[in-house]
Amino acid sequence: LVSYAPQWIKTCTNKSHAGLSFLNFAFASFVNLACMLSYMTMEYDHSFKCCGDNTSASICMEHLLEFIISLCLAFSTKVIIIQFFCFFNFEFEVAQLVQADPSLSQAEALRRVKKTRVIKFSTLAICEVAMTAVFLLLSMIYGMGGETTIKYGQGLSYLSMGMVFIHWSPQIWTTW
């Protein structure tokens, strides 16, 4: 949570999304959700086994800690995505677009910005809802320990790893 606090504060203070990369936070949001769902599928028994047992609170908390961390990461990026949407600075985006293509009118640039904004947020929401729905469906049909559910969790891990690699590799290569 602490790592995202500066972004939350900056966005709320400035009342603008300017300076934030939607792509970076969309990737982070998707990957963190995938990692949380993956963790739940593959470590469900380890994390939640103590719930309802006569296990001490400290041992139960120790088992739940990794899940809580992944939940906090998933939540933290969702907050930034919501802030990005709520504090979307249309004037900033229109100015950027008109600067890139001076032949655009302000009205046409605003129309494009609004359309792009809807497409970006809708795509992220649809992907995350679909991924979560599949997780819920598999866990209801096969159970959390079912082979199919676990394979789905493993697939989410591989997907997350691939997305992180693809997203950050160009920056790492240019930095070196």
Side-chain angles (χ1 to χ4, degrees):
L1 293 175
V2 173
S3 64
Y4 289 103
Q7 296 300 327
W8 295 343
I9 293 167
K10 177 184 174 186
T11 306
C12 287
T13 303
N14 295 342
K15 303 272 189 253
S16 173
H17 80 287
L20 298 178
S21 167
F22 179 79
L23 184 61
N24 282 347
F25 287 109
F27 265 79
S29 178
F30 188 86
V31 166
N32 286 337
L33 178 62
C35 287
M36 184 190 76
L37 295 176
S38 173
Y39 181 82
M40 284 184 66
T41 60
M42 294 191 294
E43 298 293 332
Y44 183 81
D45 286 340
H46 173 74
S47 294
F48 298 100
K49 185 175 167 182
C50 62
C51 298
D53 289 351
N54 289 330
T55 308
S56 70
S58 62
I59 291 175
C60 193
M61 192 61 178
E62 181 183 319
H63 285 250
L64 289 172
L65 189 58
E66 290 179 30
F67 169 72
I68 292 170
I69 290 169
S70 66
L71 182 66
C72 288
L73 282 172
F75 171 76
S76 296
T77 51
K78 300 293 178 273
V79 169
I80 291 180
I81 295 294
I82 290 168
Q83 285 183 321
F84 200 96
F85 184 77
C86 292
F87 297 126
F88 194 84
N89 187 336
F90 286 99
E91 294 84 23
F92 172 78
E93 291 294 328
V94 167
Q96 298 279 71
L97 197 56
V98 169
Q99 183 179 5
D101 184 0
S103 67
L104 283 178
S105 68
Q106 292 285 326
E108 175 60 19
L110 180 60
R111 186 191 70 74
R112 286 185 185 182
V113 166
K114 286 181 177 180
K115 182 179 177 181
T116 302
R117 178 178 174 246
V118 168
I119 290 169
K120 286 178 179 178
F121 286 103
S122 299
T123 302
L124 178 62
I126 289 167
C127 289
E128 289 190 350
V129 166
M131 179 173 54
T132 305
V134 169
F135 164 76
L136 292 172
L137 185 65
L138 290 175
S139 63
M140 285 190 290
I141 293 172
Y142 300 106
M144 290 303 284
E147 184 180 344
T148 304
T149 309
I150 290 172
K151 286 190 185 291
Y152 180 70
Q154 290 170 338
L156 290 177
S157 290
Y158 296 137
L159 175 65
S160 299
M161 181 181 60
M163 287 181 71
V164 168
F165 177 78
I166 290 168
H167 183 71
W168 289 110
S169 291
Q171 183 175 350
I172 292 168
W173 291 330
T174 56
T175 303
W176 285 353

